[in-house]
Amino acid sequence: MVNIILLGPPGAGKGTQARLLVERRNMVQLSTGDMLRDAKASGSPMGRRVAEVMDRGELVSDEIVIGLIGEKLAAGGGGYIFDGFPRTLAQADALARLLERVGQRLTAVIEMRVDDAALLARITGRYTCGNCGEVYHDVTRPTAVPGVCDVCGSTDLRRRADDTEESLKQRLLEYYKKTSPLVGYYYATGDLVTVDGLGEIEAVAAEIAAVLEGQGD
Ligand code: ADP
Ligand code: ADP
Ligand code: ZN
């Protein structure tokens, strides 16, 4: 079974590529950001606890996100895309242990490289479908009919509370301080592959497909 991590700063295109892999390769997307936003929307005690932290652009505690991923992996299986997880070295260690427990291992860690100037444009133009989760962009990937999701027809298109220039600044600081060390870590384990995240969506998808080619799924 192929299990990959999509690693990259906010707006690098992780969610977009994960959705394509789900559609084209039947993989399973595990996005801690989506799980946390669901918890926030549900108003659960945990959701209430993480809401402010997320809105400030800071990382939620390792304990909470490791718990969320642990629940998903407990069922076993494989074919996972870890999208936005791990974000700290402690999370990376926990993931290795959780995978081992269910007899799975990492196939590759795909680092999506995008420069900071492009990230601002990506983040401030992002909107998603509240019904099916499809990811759009004002300039690079608008819906065919304004206000209507191409995939499911819903008119519930939303912008994230944290997709502002101010929050991006904080999220980038968190990325460089806490998450970017994972690039060196996975280089050392031999799992790291870097792709150019600046190309068009299908060009990035082709690079990722080439990485997965020959890994056997
Ligand atoms: P992006 O699409 O910008 O990369 P995500 O949707 O992955 O952002 O995450 C949104 C927010 O959720 C983060 O800014 C952080 O507050 C929280 N979050 C998501 N995943 C993690 C994680 N693995 N560890 C800690 N916090 C997380
Ligand atoms: P992440 O999950 O890494 O935060 P997303 O997949 O949500 O990133 O993408 C951020 C924004 O950039 C979205 O509005 C998306 O439509 C857009 N986007 C994603 N990949 C590309 C690309 N290769 N070229 C141009 N825009 C892109
Ligand atoms: Zn939709």
Side-chain angles (χ1 to χ4, degrees):
M1 279 286 206
V2 170
N3 298 298
I4 62 169
I5 293 171
L6 295 180
L7 183 62
K14 304 179 295 293
T16 298
Q17 296 299 327
R19 287 182 71 83
L20 290 174
L21 290 165
V22 168
E23 200 182 294
R24 296 172 182 179
R25 302 181 77 103
N26 261 313
M27 294 180 75
V28 179
Q29 178 185 13
L30 295 182
S31 159
T32 42
D34 286 346
M35 294 174 206
L36 291 166
R37 275 185 292 279
D38 287 347
K40 200 177 141 181
S42 78
S44 69
M46 189 269 273
R48 285 202 301 271
R49 239 186 314 146
V50 299
E52 277 182 38
V53 177
M54 291 176 74
D55 288 348
R56 280 201 302 270
E58 292 168 13
L59 291 190
V60 169
S61 75
D62 287 337
E63 192 194 343
I64 287 178
V65 291
I66 291 166
L68 288 170
I69 290 287
E71 276 171 34
K72 300 283 180 186
L73 292 188
Y80 294 115
I81 308 156
F82 297 97
D83 164 10
F85 179 93
R87 268 174 148 100
T88 63
L89 288 165
Q91 292 178 24
D93 280 340
L95 178 60
R97 282 196 303 275
L98 288 168
L99 284 173
E100 196 180 2
R101 197 178 298 165
V102 292
Q104 297 284 325
R105 57 179 303 278
L106 278 178
T107 308
V109 176
I110 301 177
E111 181 205 2
M112 301 178 63
R113 209 171 269 181
V114 175
D115 58 61
D116 292 357
L119 293 177
L120 179 61
R122 293 252 182 116
I123 288 288
T124 52
R126 168 161 63 187
Y127 58 100
T128 55
C129 174
N131 180 50
C132 75
E134 192 67 12
V135 185
Y136 296 101
H137 189 278
D138 292 325
V139 178
T140 62
R141 197 178 183 283
T143 53
V145 179
V148 183
C149 176
D150 294 356
V151 176
C152 75
S154 169
T155 53
D156 179 16
L157 300 176
R158 306 176 175 178
R159 291 184 197 266
R160 279 168 46 176
D162 59 343
D163 275 349
T164 61
E165 183 165 3
E166 193 52 35
S167 162
L168 176 64
K169 235 187 247 170
Q170 183 59 39
R171 282 149 75 198
L172 275 177
L173 276 177
E174 293 280 84
Y175 181 78
Y176 288 117
K177 195 158 61 173
K178 298 175 182 162
T179 308
S180 67
L182 296 183
V183 173
Y185 172 73
Y186 286 121
Y187 174 77
T189 61
D191 294 315
L192 190 76
V193 185
T194 300
V195 302
D196 177 8
L198 276 174
E200 288 185 0
I201 290 171
E202 285 301 336
V204 179
E207 271 203 71
I208 293 174
V211 172
L212 297 183
E213 222 46 52
Q215 302 276 11
D217 53 348

